[in-house]
Amino acid sequence: MLSAVPQTPQRPLPGTYIQTPARGLNSQSGQIGQSNLRPGSISSRQQYGSQNQSQSLTQQRQQTGQIAGRSSQEELKPIERASRTINETLNQDARYPELDSYVSQGPSSDYDIFSQPAWAPFQRVKTYNIPDSIFKQYNNAQMSTMMGLFADINHAWVSIDNALYLWDYTHPNPELIGFEEQQQNITAVRLVTPRAGVFLSSITRLLVVATTAEIILVGLAAQPAPGGGQSVALFSTRLSLSIKGMSIGVIEGSAATGRIFFSDHGSDDVYELTYQQEEKWFQNRCAKINHTSKGVTAFNPGPLFSFGQKSPQENIVQMAVDDTRNLLYTLSSRSAIRVFHLRPTNGVSLAISKTLGATLNDIGHIPNLATDLLSPNIAITSINPISSQEASRLHLMATTSTGCRIFLSATSGSLYNSYNFSMTNASNVPTSMQVQHVKFPPIDPSRPQSYQQQNSTQVVHYGNSQGLNTTSKALAQTRKAIRYAPGFFFCFVPRDPQGTVDSLFISAPDTGRIADAQKNSRPFKYAELGLWTSLGSRTEDIGLSTPWFSASSSPAGFGNELAVQYENPASEVAILTNNGVHTFRRRRLVDIFASAIKVGGGDEGVDGEIKKFIRMYGQSETASTSLAVACGQGLDVTSDSRVTKITDPVVLEFARKAFIEYGGKAEFNENYVMDQSMPAVDSIRPSARHKGLSLYVARLIRPIWKAPILQESTSPTGFSVLPVVSMATLQSVSQDLLKLKEFLASNKSFIDGLAGPDALSRVSTKQEEVLLQAEHRALHSLVVLTENIIEGIAFVQVLFDEQIAEIVLSLANEIRLQVRSLTYEGLFSTIKGKDLAKELVKAIVNRNITNGSNVETVAEALRRRCGSFCSADDVVIFKAQELLKRAAEAGGNFESGRNLLNESLRLFEQVAASLTSEQLQWAVQNFTNMEFYAGAIRLALSVAQESDRGNRALTWIQEGRPDQDPRAAFFEERKRCYNLIHEVINNLDQASSQAPSMVDGQYTLSAKRRTEAYEVIDNSDDEAFQTDLYDWYLSQGRTDRLLQIQSAYIVTYLERKSSDDVAHADLLWRYHNQSGHNHEAAVVQLALAKSAFALSLDQRIEYLGRAKANASTNSPGVPRQTRYQLLREVSDLLDVANIQSDLLQRLKDDERIAAERRPEIVKDLNGQVLPVNILYNRYADGGGYFDLCLLIYQAADHRNPADIRATWQNLLDRAHEETASRGEPQPYEAVIEKVRSLGTRLNLSETMFPVADLVPMLERYAFEFQNGVGPKTWVLDTLIDIGVPFESLYSVLEGMFYNDEAPFQGRNRRYIANDILYVVQIWFQDSSRGTGQILGGDTNAVAISQTLQMLQQSGLDEQKAEECQVLRMRIEHVLR
């Protein structure tokens, strides 16, 4: 049999340093259900070994806090982590084993009976004496007397002959309530629950009184008395049934249906007493039905069963009803058990009859079980049903006269399945009953003390090492026994031959031990704590004076007393004897611990008790229990028989030390140390101290955690809202949590994980530091949750102090539905719960504002009691809202209203960080409605700034708004505020457009408010807002407004946007131009011309042209050198762009280019300005566009004379050929146009327009190709027209003349001579008009005169010679 997982070998832990082997883990296994086992199959203990390993990892994950969907606990906030811990703890409590799992097939005899009274399962509280008045009446008895208890209403009864008396046994001087209205002797009395609808609602019980002649039904009304206890009143119902000839001894009732059953002393028949309000045809108000005799077939048409031949002495001695399964059990005087099915048609059918022999035969099949305690000579003294709520298989417990408890189960059909008796179908009627378990009596207390302790005191987890004890006679001659859920057993044994004194044995499940076995996946034992006590008299009756125990509505978790020990009062049992009523109180585990350390006998004794507690119940349960005692949860009975809380400082101090010193330490979970994806801190299991704290908190809040906060109800009196959990329960939970909070606060310096930074000084390794970090995280989360719960409860209390029905009705439908389904868990631990709470707070405040109440008083009360739901900021918000509403009432155009608006704005801005979107929208809307535009904008800007104090939204904008960036969320938060400002601006502009700006020379109120609002906008230093505002202006097409803004942010905005959008770049240079910043405008325009935007070449040339103009304009503050550099760059690029434009046009018109290639070329050229080398090599040179090649030379500063001359020559040749081939115009005219155009564009550059090369080139062209065509001086006229200096022309021509260059040789030299003469004539005329020197100066004039003289001698024709002579004479005249 497996009991624990073997120790895991040491593994490295990422990020930590482990120097010692890790401690092995006990495997954790869930409970093993047995509902589907057949008789004789393996037990749950045998199945345990095969299931624990498969479940251990899951539970270890729960211990370390790992859940699906959350890869790291770091993702959890403290509240979320604590909430998850609470839910896991509550689920663990809910997994407490079913009764079937530890009361399983086979026998047991496990008891712990300690000599130390502190460990006793029950504690005697008080003995209430029987009143003297009862003894006086008793002395008058003539025939018979009986006594009994109605413990649930704290009353006892005695029948003396024909009189019945009731009294409150808890009252020091009770008043007797008598029933003496009949004359016959009373034979039986029973208190039952009436059938619904028969009596008034005040009649909660029926007193069934059987006499020798009739059965009388007496109404009983019980209600709480002012001084405590119950006040009882009896009412006549006039319902009775004649039973002459019968002697009624046993009466039983069904609490669920109100049916009443009884039996006769002389038979084992089962009768039912029927009753109704009024008589009907053939049906009296009271009647009896015999459900077991064939003679009553006419009254019971359903199937009847007969017991057959039975001895007339056999009679029913006990009846018991199980309402959860619709079963009636009877026990006969011969120990036969019969099971009747209570049909929904009010019929009764016998389902099972099991004799004592059959029961013993079942027990005989248990292997290796031989005992004298279960011989045929024994009798069954009592039976007690086990409800389906408590167990799924077990149905009944029968106690024998030897004190053995026999647990039986009933089954339906052949399958061994749990029987769901809540179903009333006939097919579900049980057909057989088997013995499942036998619990033998404890060791006889009359044996020697040493032997008794050796065999009966079990403090180890695995039961009594001495084995099964089947021989104990301790409970021999048991005459009465009873079982109460979840397993309290009271057994009465006479201790004298006359039977006048009873000894009482009490046992109860050791809940802590059973729970510890479940937590640590050990086999379940039916562990019980026992107690022997003497009553000093004979027992007459016993009853449960507190409600029936139930920790859950299903078998799983039903018996977990630990889970409800702080929620429900401890069970109390009243026992009536001849000398009084003795009350016994169930000792909770917390009470046992408190009593154990109270009587521990000093430090050493207390340490021993604590260690024993740890061995029995585990370290976590010990930590939880010690914490509860330290917080004042321990109860004890005082010397004056009062149950009070233990406040002894010594006990509380020992409990405090136990929690701190025995709370254990955090540990590494070996199952996770190799998980590299998990942070080291997440692989740590918190200490048992943390588990103990979570257990204590979870059990304190268990009654409210999953419960809804409120429930709506509609009745004839109107609509109402009621709390689901009573205010008294909430107050109790809150007080307990406050004590816990105080305890943790006062002891945090001693608790690892709560000590704060000081604890770090005590760690010596990285491993210890990580362990401390994990422990702090776990404990801190629970502390935070505790504080939240305290405030949450206070909030609910405040909520129900108000007119909550009106508040709920004022909520929006969606919010109201959410509030209706809101649980305390949601309120305490979720954001949604907090949001709904704030909605309720707002509703409370709005209601008070509407009613004219002082909002500040209400808000301050909320803040003081539940600050997290209504903080100091909330108080300010409510005050600001109130002022705003008062301003609306006063009017926004009046001074008083305006003052209220300004004060409201001041308060709103003070708490801008706490305003919700709804609150901001409400305030802005109201400010706008009252034309307080500036205030609305200021408030929205303040909230936006507070929502992102680190300006992360701005950095996100500046970095280009990257996708999947967490900073985008901050911008969206700001954007909500900015959108409100946009709405305010729209309203402002609309209102301003409908009113004049000035009246009688004075600005109107509308104009002033517009100015105020725009001043707030323009003066805002929120760049993110300005950016969003400009975006909004552009989206609205309001570029005019954008250009009017005087803000440094507009330039930054447009510059940032310009990199992505041409329109923004256009706005930027327009804004610079409008502001007089021409240089900056030129920079933007140059950038646009060079940009990669989809701009045509013409658009780029336009930008360059504008840039050149702006760069040429003087700009204040811009150095001249900077301006010139920009101008040069723009000019150079413009030249290239113009060349590219010409090239584009040429290529478009060039017929040599294939049609399919032309679009590609156009696309390439009609875009960005290309480098000149590409223009030249790819297009100009290859296309033969020689004029453009020359322009490219100039742009590229290419100065190779040979290339330039060759290009010019090619240009002339191409021009001539193209013109000649077309036929018009004359070729020389085309040459003239080329030369004229290039001269202008090249600015007569000496390099690109080399006159010394061009003149000879043109002269030769004119002589060889255009001789006699056109004017003789067209070459010189062209050059002179474009501005070639006369001096340059003269020098070139003079050189040509003297150099005798071909073809100007011989007689052809006169052509050059004529041109020289022509140039000098024009030059002389031109220089004579001005005030300057003739022909460039005297020296030039003399040289020219000499040249003219030589020309006369070189063969000029007569006319030219004469002109030359005249010109020469004029020059010489001037020289004189």
Side-chain angles (χ1 to χ4, degrees):
M1 183 180 298
L2 297 176
S3 61
V5 174
Q7 287 189 344
T8 305
Q10 180 58 49
R11 298 172 178 173
L13 178 70
T16 60
Y17 306 92
I18 300 180
Q19 304 298 337
T20 57
R23 197 181 76 181
L25 290 177
N26 288 327
S27 174
Q28 296 281 319
S29 174
Q31 67 183 56
I32 311 298
Q34 296 181 345
S35 58
N36 294 321
L37 296 180
R38 295 176 180 270
S41 63
I42 61 173
S43 68
S44 63
R45 299 178 185 178
Q46 293 169 317
Q47 287 189 341
Y48 157 77
S50 63
Q51 295 193 20
N52 65 345
Q53 289 179 329
S54 65
Q55 298 181 2
S56 61
L57 182 59
T58 300
Q59 296 197 7
Q60 288 165 8
R61 285 183 180 273
Q62 293 173 351
Q63 290 176 354
T64 55
Q66 298 301 313
I67 59 174
R70 301 298 286 261
S71 60
S72 172
Q73 291 189 11
E74 286 300 332
E75 299 176 12
L76 296 176
K77 296 180 180 178
I79 289 294
E80 294 173 333
R81 181 177 295 105
S83 175
R84 189 188 64 189
T85 300
I86 293 300
N87 282 319
E88 290 174 354
T89 304
L90 291 174
N91 290 338
Q92 176 183 295
D93 274 347
R95 291 193 298 270
Y96 181 85
E98 297 183 28
L99 181 65
D100 300 318
S101 64
Y102 55 88
V103 183
S104 55
Q105 284 185 320
S108 68
S109 61
D110 301 297
Y111 295 91
D112 284 339
I113 303 175
F114 294 99
S115 59
Q116 175 59 261
W119 290 84
F122 275 82
Q123 183 179 23
R124 189 192 298 263
V125 179
K126 191 172 184 178
T127 299
Y128 299 95
N129 295 324
I130 297 176
D132 293 338
S133 55
I134 295 295
F135 287 110
K136 291 180 181 179
Q137 296 292 339
Y138 179 79
N139 292 331
N140 297 325
Q142 297 178 359
M143 298 290 293
S144 64
T145 60
M146 291 186 298
M147 298 180 69
L149 278 176
F150 303 144
D152 56 337
I153 57 173
N154 297 331
H155 275 65
W157 62 270
V158 61
S159 67
I160 303 173
D161 296 335
N162 66 324
L164 176 67
Y165 300 101
L166 284 72
W167 76 93
D168 183 353
Y169 61 80
T170 64
H171 199 282
N173 187 21
E175 176 185 357
L176 291 184
I177 303 171
F179 176 70
E180 304 169 327
E181 298 179 0
Q182 42 77 36
Q183 303 300 320
Q184 292 78 22
N185 286 340
I186 296 173
T187 60
V189 176
R190 188 70 172 175
L191 188 66
V192 299
T193 302
R195 193 169 67 247
V198 177
F199 305 103
L200 296 175
S201 59
S202 59
I203 305 298
T204 57
R205 298 294 185 88
L206 274 182
L207 197 58
V208 184
V209 181
T211 69
T212 56
E214 62 182 343
I215 298 177
I216 304 169
L217 301 184
V218 180
L220 185 149
Q223 58 185 5
Q230 296 275 337
S231 64
V232 169
L234 301 180
F235 298 90
S236 173
T237 64
R238 292 180 297 172
L239 292 174
S240 63
L241 175 69
S242 174
I243 54 168
K244 289 183 179 180
M246 300 177 67
S247 177
I248 307 302
V250 179
I251 304 172
E252 187 57 73
S254 168
T257 62
R259 299 173 73 177
I260 301 173
F261 303 95
F262 63 92
S263 67
D264 181 13
H265 275 308
S267 72
D268 57 358
D269 290 338
V270 174
Y271 293 89
E272 180 176 359
L273 172 65
T274 63
Y275 55 97
Q276 57 190 13
Q277 287 180 331
E278 298 178 355
E279 291 188 2
K280 297 181 180 179
W281 286 99
F282 307 108
Q283 195 171 7
N284 296 326
R285 295 182 66 196
C286 274
K288 70 175 184 291
I289 301 174
N290 186 339
H291 288 295
T292 55
S293 172
K294 294 181 180 179
V296 294
T297 304
F299 299 96
N300 184 17
L304 298 176
F305 295 84
S306 174
F307 292 153
Q309 300 299 323
K310 300 180 178 65
S311 169
Q313 287 78 20
E314 185 174 14
N315 62 286
I316 295 176
V317 297
Q318 184 184 353
M319 288 183 176
V321 174
D322 182 357
D323 283 320
T324 64
R325 292 187 170 101
N326 296 327
L327 297 179
L328 169 66
Y329 300 96
T330 66
L331 176 66
S332 75
S333 58
R334 293 186 176 181
S335 299
I337 300 172
R338 295 177 178 87
V339 183
F340 294 88
H341 178 223
L342 304 180
R343 298 198 299 268
T345 58
N346 291 330
V348 176
S349 61
L350 177 64
I352 302 170
S353 179
K354 195 173 187 70
T355 64
L356 176 61
T359 301
L360 295 177
N361 186 53
D362 285 351
I363 297 173
H365 287 87
I366 299 177
N368 302 321
L369 181 62
T371 175
D372 295 336
L373 299 180
L374 295 173
S375 67
N377 297 326
I378 67 167
I380 296 177
T381 59
S382 63
I383 56 174
N384 297 108
I386 300 173
S387 70
S388 63
Q389 186 180 356
E390 185 177 359
S392 56
R393 286 195 306 117
L394 296 176
H395 291 62
L396 188 70
M397 187 195 82
T399 306
T400 69
S401 57
T402 57
C404 295
R405 285 175 278 170
I406 303 172
F407 292 86
L408 302 103
S409 66
T411 58
S412 175
S414 59
L415 294 179
Y416 195 78
N417 293 326
S418 61
Y419 173 58
N420 184 359
F421 294 102
S422 64
M423 300 175 63
T424 56
N425 193 302
S427 62
N428 292 325
V429 177
T431 58
S432 64
M433 179 175 282
Q434 301 85 21
V435 173
Q436 290 295 313
H437 185 86
V438 178
K439 187 65 178 279
F440 285 93
I443 300 298
D444 192 338
S446 62
R447 295 192 181 187
Q449 185 71 17
S450 60
Y451 180 84
Q452 176 183 339
Q453 290 181 355
Q454 178 184 2
N455 290 275
S456 65
T457 301
Q458 305 157 19
V459 294
V460 296
H461 288 294
Y462 300 102
N464 192 341
S465 60
Q466 299 298 320
L468 181 66
N469 182 352
T470 62
T471 61
S472 174
K473 307 289 186 179
L475 299 180
Q477 300 180 359
T478 294
R479 67 176 190 84
K480 186 180 185 65
I482 194 166
R483 179 188 183 275
Y484 297 113
F488 306 146
F489 177 61
F490 292 81
C491 186
F492 302 92
V493 181
R495 282 309 179 201
D496 63 327
Q498 295 77 25
T500 58
V501 177
D502 282 341
S503 179
L504 171 62
F505 174 72
I506 307 174
S507 69
D510 195 350
T511 311
R513 185 112 50 97
I514 296 172
D516 187 57
Q518 183 264 337
K519 294 175 190 174
N520 293 289
S521 303
R522 289 195 294 271
F524 300 130
K525 286 280 190 179
Y526 187 6
E528 289 187 293
L529 293 174
L531 167 67
W532 287 97
T533 186
S534 177
L535 298 175
S537 183
R538 177 182 173 85
T539 301
E540 299 295 333
D541 200 1
I542 181 173
L544 189 66
S545 57
T546 53
W548 283 79
F549 179 87
S550 173
S552 76
S553 58
S554 62
F558 176 89
N560 193 351
E561 295 179 86
L562 303 179
V564 296
Q565 61 182 324
Y566 313 121
E567 174 184 352
N568 298 333
S571 298
E572 287 194 12
V573 174
I575 300 173
L576 176 64
T577 68
N578 292 334
N579 59 10
V581 178
H582 307 266
T583 58
F584 288 82
R585 176 181 174 274
R586 169 63 163 153
R587 254 203 177 105
R588 306 171 302 167
L589 192 64
V590 64
D591 303 330
I592 293 175
F593 183 84
S595 298
I597 61 176
K598 181 178 181 180
V599 299
D603 292 348
E604 294 182 2
V606 170
D607 287 344
E609 295 294 324
I610 293 173
K611 290 176 182 178
K612 181 166 70 174
F613 211 87
I614 293 173
R615 287 194 303 271
M616 293 180 67
Y617 305 121
Q619 202 170 12
S620 299
E621 198 64 57
T622 302
S624 173
T625 308
S626 61
L627 176 61
V629 173
C631 292
Q633 290 285 358
L635 298 177
D636 199 5
V637 178
T638 62
S639 58
D640 57 351
S641 301
R642 290 184 300 109
V643 179
T644 60
K645 290 191 174 183
I646 296 177
T647 57
D648 185 349
V650 176
V651 175
L652 300 183
E653 176 61 18
F654 278 133
R656 184 191 74 86
K657 292 176 64 177
F659 176 72
I660 296 172
E661 297 176 4
Y662 291 91
K665 293 184 178 297
E667 300 174 334
F668 288 108
N669 188 336
E670 302 95 297
N671 291 283
Y672 296 104
V673 296
M674 291 301 292
D675 189 349
Q676 300 293 332
S677 64
M678 182 186 300
V681 71
D682 289 342
S683 63
I684 294 172
R685 182 190 301 106
S687 67
R689 184 185 301 105
H690 165 263
K691 183 62 177 177
L693 176 59
S694 64
L695 280 170
Y696 183 56
V697 174
R699 290 167 180 173
L700 285 180
I701 65 176
R702 182 180 185 272
I704 68 174
W705 183 250
K706 295 293 183 181
I709 294 176
L710 53 82
Q711 58 184 354
E712 298 179 5
S713 175
T714 303
S715 64
T717 59
F719 176 78
S720 62
V721 177
L722 303 173
V724 175
V725 179
S726 69
M727 291 294 105
T729 300
L730 287 177
Q731 183 65 24
S732 175
V733 172
S734 178
Q735 289 176 351
D736 290 339
L737 290 174
L738 281 170
K739 292 178 182 177
L740 172 62
K741 178 183 176 182
E742 294 172 2
F743 174 84
L744 294 176
S746 60
N747 292 279
K748 64 180 181 180
S749 59
F750 306 106
I751 300 174
D752 287 344
L754 292 181
D758 294 341
L760 291 175
S761 61
R762 299 194 290 268
V763 301
S764 57
T765 65
K766 179 64 176 179
Q767 175 182 347
E768 292 180 358
E769 183 179 343
V770 175
L771 290 170
L772 184 62
Q773 178 186 355
E775 181 76 358
H776 168 75
R777 188 175 64 175
L779 289 175
H780 174 69
S781 65
L782 289 174
V783 172
V784 173
L785 178 62
T786 300
E787 294 173 350
N788 264 29
I789 295 174
I790 293 170
E791 290 196 357
I793 291 175
F795 170 74
V796 173
Q797 291 172 327
V798 171
L799 186 64
F800 281 97
D801 286 342
E802 297 286 329
Q803 294 295 327
I804 187 170
E806 296 180 12
I807 294 170
V808 170
L809 289 175
S810 69
L811 298 173
N813 288 335
E814 181 181 356
I815 300 297
R816 181 178 170 184
L817 289 174
Q818 294 177 10
V819 169
R820 189 186 303 166
S821 61
L822 178 63
T823 63
Y824 283 94
E825 176 188 6
L827 176 67
F828 298 151
S829 62
T830 65
I831 296 176
K832 178 183 177 182
K834 278 290 180 69
D835 292 341
L836 290 176
K838 289 186 178 292
E839 291 291 337
L840 289 168
V841 169
K842 286 192 292 185
I844 293 173
V845 172
N846 290 336
R847 175 182 171 275
N848 281 273
I849 291 175
T850 303
N851 294 341
S853 304
N854 190 332
V855 177
E856 196 166 0
T857 302
V858 176
E860 181 60 29
L862 285 167
R863 186 197 64 77
R864 187 176 61 256
R865 296 182 63 180
C866 42
S868 61
F869 295 91
C870 182
S871 62
D873 285 354
D874 292 331
V875 176
V876 176
I877 292 171
F878 298 147
K879 183 64 177 177
Q881 291 173 333
E882 182 182 17
L883 291 176
L884 187 49
K885 289 187 177 183
R886 287 170 54 192
E889 295 170 358
N893 292 327
F894 295 95
E895 183 178 0
S896 59
R898 215 65 183 173
N899 291 336
L900 290 171
L901 285 174
N902 284 315
E903 180 61 18
S904 175
L905 173 62
R906 185 187 67 81
L907 293 177
F908 275 129
E909 287 185 310
Q910 182 179 330
V911 292
S914 301
L915 286 178
T916 64
S917 299
E918 293 77 11
Q919 290 169 336
L920 173 62
Q921 187 172 0
W922 181 85
V924 168
Q925 183 65 44
N926 280 275
F927 281 149
T928 304
N929 292 341
M930 285 181 278
E931 299 182 351
F932 191 31
Y933 305 112
I937 295 171
R938 274 179 53 186
L939 178 58
L941 287 174
S942 298
V943 174
Q945 186 64 33
E946 290 296 331
S947 68
D948 178 27
R949 296 182 65 86
N951 272 338
R952 281 164 286 195
L954 180 59
T955 60
W956 178 69
I957 293 171
Q958 291 171 340
E959 293 177 12
R961 309 187 186 211
D963 295 334
Q964 305 299 325
D965 193 305
R967 294 173 296 179
F970 292 96
F971 176 75
E972 290 302 323
E973 190 68 28
R974 283 177 172 263
K975 178 67 175 170
R976 282 190 282 270
C977 302
Y978 300 154
N979 289 341
L980 294 176
I981 297 177
H982 301 164
E983 295 177 10
V984 174
I985 293 175
N986 282 333
N987 290 327
L988 170 62
D989 291 344
Q990 183 178 358
S992 301
S993 64
Q994 297 173 357
S997 299
M998 298 187 71
V999 174
D1000 297 332
Q1002 299 290 327
Y1003 284 107
T1004 62
L1005 188 59
S1006 175
K1008 291 179 180 179
R1009 290 176 177 170
R1010 176 184 172 86
T1011 301
E1012 290 174 357
Y1014 276 109
E1015 282 181 356
V1016 174
I1017 293 173
D1018 292 341
N1019 294 333
S1020 172
D1021 58 358
D1022 186 348
E1023 187 173 350
F1025 160 66
Q1026 298 289 0
T1027 299
D1028 180 76
L1029 178 65
Y1030 304 151
D1031 283 338
W1032 180 68
Y1033 277 149
L1034 290 176
S1035 68
Q1036 300 292 311
R1038 300 180 61 178
T1039 55
D1040 54 336
R1041 172 59 195 163
L1042 201 65
L1043 295 176
Q1044 294 171 6
I1045 295 174
Q1046 298 298 320
S1047 170
Y1049 296 119
I1050 183 63
V1051 175
T1052 304
Y1053 167 79
L1054 292 175
E1055 286 176 348
R1056 185 166 55 247
K1057 290 287 188 178
S1058 296
S1059 61
D1060 301 322
D1061 184 36
V1062 177
H1064 290 90
D1066 277 334
L1067 284 174
L1068 179 58
W1069 69 258
R1070 288 172 58 192
Y1071 184 84
H1072 283 314
N1073 265 141
Q1074 184 173 290
S1075 303
H1077 302 146
N1078 298 317
H1079 179 82
E1080 288 78 2
V1083 171
V1084 176
Q1085 291 161 341
L1086 174 61
L1088 273 171
K1090 296 165 66 175
S1091 69
F1093 292 131
L1095 298 174
S1096 67
L1097 184 60
D1098 288 341
Q1099 289 175 304
R1100 296 176 190 274
I1101 292 174
E1102 180 182 356
Y1103 284 129
L1104 289 170
R1106 292 179 181 275
K1108 187 174 182 180
N1110 283 320
S1112 302
T1113 305
N1114 187 28
S1115 295
V1118 180
R1120 179 179 300 178
Q1121 182 180 0
T1122 301
R1123 184 161 55 88
Y1124 284 164
Q1125 287 176 349
L1126 176 63
L1127 180 60
R1128 176 63 182 271
E1129 183 180 0
V1130 171
S1131 299
D1132 290 347
L1133 189 61
L1134 180 59
D1135 291 340
V1136 176
N1138 284 327
I1139 294 171
Q1140 184 171 326
S1141 178
D1142 291 341
L1143 192 56
L1144 173 63
Q1145 194 59 44
R1146 297 278 184 88
L1147 290 168
K1148 283 182 179 179
D1149 300 335
D1150 198 327
E1151 296 178 354
R1152 296 174 297 171
I1153 300 175
E1156 60 272 13
R1157 173 154 169 72
R1158 183 173 284 108
E1160 180 183 348
I1161 294 173
V1162 171
K1163 180 180 178 182
D1164 193 18
L1165 290 175
N1166 193 24
Q1168 287 183 283
V1169 180
L1170 301 176
V1172 290
N1173 60 329
I1174 293 178
L1175 295 177
Y1176 179 81
N1177 294 320
R1178 189 177 296 177
Y1179 301 106
D1181 185 50
Y1185 307 126
F1186 300 112
D1187 53 344
L1188 299 182
C1189 289
L1190 289 170
L1191 293 173
I1192 291 173
Y1193 290 161
Q1194 184 181 41
D1197 199 19
H1198 183 70
R1199 297 174 177 271
N1200 190 323
D1203 292 341
I1204 296 172
R1205 283 196 302 271
T1207 302
W1208 272 107
Q1209 186 61 56
N1210 291 333
L1211 173 64
L1212 296 180
D1213 294 344
R1214 174 62 66 85
H1216 177 78
E1217 292 171 0
E1218 290 178 351
T1219 308
S1221 64
R1222 290 198 302 267
E1224 61 180 11
Q1226 293 294 333
Y1228 81 90
E1229 293 177 338
V1231 171
I1232 290 173
E1233 181 60 31
K1234 291 289 185 181
V1235 173
R1236 189 185 301 277
S1237 172
L1238 284 173
T1240 302
R1241 295 184 64 178
L1242 295 174
N1243 292 324
L1244 300 179
S1245 168
E1246 294 181 1
T1247 305
M1248 300 302 146
F1249 199 88
V1251 177
D1253 294 328
L1254 282 177
V1255 172
M1257 199 179 297
L1258 290 171
E1259 289 287 359
R1260 280 195 298 273
Y1261 169 75
F1263 178 77
E1264 293 176 351
F1265 297 100
Q1266 297 294 299
N1267 195 358
V1269 180
K1272 294 181 179 180
T1273 60
W1274 65 267
V1275 172
L1276 298 176
D1277 289 339
T1278 299
L1279 295 174
I1280 291 170
D1281 286 345
I1282 63 176
V1284 176
F1286 294 105
E1287 188 172 0
S1288 299
L1289 292 173
Y1290 172 77
S1291 299
V1292 175
L1293 291 172
E1294 183 183 26
M1296 291 176 64
F1297 181 80
Y1298 287 118
N1299 292 335
D1300 198 20
E1301 297 178 358
F1304 303 107
Q1305 298 172 337
R1307 291 183 56 82
N1308 291 339
R1309 291 178 66 191
R1310 68 171 180 264
Y1311 288 99
I1312 301 301
N1314 290 337
D1315 287 344
I1316 293 173
L1317 175 60
Y1318 181 74
V1319 169
V1320 174
Q1321 286 176 335
I1322 300 299
W1323 189 6
F1324 180 79
Q1325 292 175 3
D1326 183 74
S1327 60
S1328 299
R1329 294 191 191 99
T1331 58
Q1333 295 180 331
I1334 300 298
L1335 300 176
D1338 292 348
T1339 304
N1340 278 345
V1342 172
I1344 291 171
S1345 178
Q1346 293 175 355
T1347 300
L1348 290 176
Q1349 183 180 3
M1350 187 176 60
L1351 291 178
Q1352 286 178 303
Q1353 301 171 1
S1354 62
L1356 289 174
D1357 58 30
E1358 182 177 354
Q1359 181 182 357
K1360 295 296 182 181
E1362 184 178 351
E1363 291 177 5
C1364 183
Q1365 177 63 30
V1366 173
L1367 178 58
R1368 183 167 164 267
M1369 291 176 61
R1370 292 176 63 187
I1371 292 172
E1372 289 183 354
H1373 177 72
V1374 173
L1375 291 174
R1376 295 193 189 104

